[in-house]
Amino acid sequence: MSAPADPHKPYDVIGIGLGPANLGLACLTEPLDDLTALFLEPGPEGPAVDRCARTPGKGAHLRTPFLADLVTLADPTSPYSFLNYLRESGRLYAFYLRENLYPLRAEYRDYCRWAAARLTSVRFGTTVTEVTYDNGVHAVATSTGGVLRARHLALDTGSTPYVPEVCAKLGGDFVHASRYPEQKTELQKKNQITVVGGGRDAAEVYYDLLTDMDVHGYRLDWVTDAPHLLPPEDSGLLDAILDLLRQKGLAGPVPSRLLTRSTLTGARYEHGRYVLGVRRQERGEDLTLTTEGLVLATGQRYRTPDFLEPVREHVRWDAHGSDPGTAPYRNASIIRELLGREVRPAETSTAFQEFAV
């Protein structure tokens, strides 16, 4: 059941924000008759669930296999599993015959929509304005004017795109990597594009732009302060980038530079171009890059919501967060703490991250 039988009793847990972790928690708590839960999401249903379904990377497929869905690693028998979604949508055998464990991104987005549509514990379009705490109970004030009460909170308000301080007041139409798919068409109209940042997101944006550079005729550079373009676990993507560079190099010099150990020291926008100051750490030299298009692959950072300020000292902060593979373990741990018993025993000997409420 999703609501207390007595309206004066607090919920066992209220989830604030419907990111992928809380969507999974909502799925796992929905069938439990002895636990009351409610999940609040400020956005409308469609965009909120689509945002929830976004996972790292820009390719057609997810980076994680279908077992790392919303629920399976915590409860393989859950009716909210990706396999059950395939069965109910008539695509189970089609997925099996592909012999590929990695769902399509569009397919996973549809799966999240399918799961959310079956939940009774989620309220979309409900913004939390303030949370206070008294005598073991949280009071959650919302934009509707009501106040909800809960013994525990589960926060999944997500992170925001991080823009380096040197770019904080930068004008123009620069693109953060999190919005690259939506901005790609306009970006490729530029004569020069520079990707700044490290890690897989930067590599995927660079590779995608490198693939089409002959068609659109732009110059493409990549600047990262990391000592290597990618860590060893991403060697497959690095090999693909280097192979593509070699392939394009057969027709002549490739208009592209890869600058490692290079720190962005300044940035300004003038006359339709970005002027970037770059410090080459190993050489101890400074150089200036001029570019029309700029992609900041600088990651995401968590910002504490203002509504939590009254209870900030009561929150147990987790510096590591969770990914699609560990979120079910996080949720199973939360349910165990709420009920005081194991609903689905977690494989604690193979999980290295602990969660608490």
Side-chain angles (χ1 to χ4, degrees), residues 14 62 119 149 198 274 327:
I14 288 180
L62 298 187
L119 296 172
R149 300 165 65 245
Y274 296 93

Side-chain angles (χ1 to χ4, degrees), residues 13 18 23 28 47 65 73 150 152 159 173 241 288 294 308 325 339 351:
V13 61
L18 199 70
L23 179 56
L28 289 169
L73 291 176
H152 299 282
S159 54
D173 56 354
I241 290 173
T288 300
L294 176 63
L308 283 178
L339 294 179

Side-chain angles (χ1 to χ4, degrees), residues 126-159:
T126 304
T127 301
V128 174
T129 57
E130 186 181 54
V131 176
T132 56
Y133 182 80
D134 182 50
N135 198 28
V137 175
H138 298 87
V140 181
T142 69
S143 55
T144 62
V147 177
L148 302 162
R149 300 165 65 245
R151 294 190 297 110
H152 299 282
L153 301 178
L155 303 176
D156 192 8
T157 52
S159 54

Side-chain angles (χ1 to χ4, degrees), residues 170-172 267-275 288 290-292:
L170 193 60
R268 67 181 187 273
Y269 182 73
E270 54 186 30
H271 309 301
R273 294 175 180 271
Y274 296 93
V275 181
T288 300
T290 303
T291 184
E292 290 184 4

Side-chain angles (χ1 to χ4, degrees), residues 285-350:
E285 65 181 21
D286 297 298
L287 59 87
T288 300
L289 297 179
T290 303
T291 184
E292 290 184 4
L294 176 63
V295 181
L296 297 180
T298 47
Q300 308 265 340
R301 298 288 175 87
Y302 179 77
R303 177 184 175 277
T304 304
D306 294 337
F307 64 74
L308 283 178
E309 197 58 39
V311 295
R312 188 181 183 90
E313 69 274 15
H314 297 289
V315 178
R316 297 183 186 178
W317 300 104
D318 176 12
H320 303 288
S322 60
D323 59 31
T326 60
Y329 178 76
R330 169 250 198 196
N331 293 334
S333 300
I334 289 174
I335 292 172
R336 181 184 65 243
E337 293 294 325
L338 291 172
L339 294 179
R341 62 180 176 84
E342 290 277 11
V343 176
R344 292 288 178 182
E347 298 180 17
T348 55
S349 61
T350 59

Side-chain angles (χ1 to χ4, degrees), residues 14 43 72 141 146 170 210 222 233 248 270-271:
I14 288 180
T72 295
L170 193 60
L210 182 66
W222 180 6
E233 59 266 26
K248 291 182 179 296
E270 54 186 30
H271 309 301

Side-chain angles (χ1 to χ4, degrees), residues 183-235:
Q183 302 295 326
K184 175 182 174 181
T185 300
E186 289 300 314
L187 189 65
Q188 290 185 312
K189 295 177 182 179
K190 312 286 187 181
N191 291 320
Q192 304 149 308
I193 304 173
T194 300
V195 179
V196 175
R200 186 163 184 115
D201 277 355
E204 289 184 339
V205 170
Y206 177 81
Y207 180 74
D208 193 50
L209 290 171
L210 182 66
T211 302
D212 296 335
M213 69 184 307
D214 300 333
V215 177
H216 298 276
Y218 48 73
R219 176 182 179 83
L220 178 63
D221 297 317
W222 180 6
V223 178
T224 175
D225 59 3
H228 307 288
L229 292 175
L230 282 171
E233 59 266 26
D234 288 322
S235 60

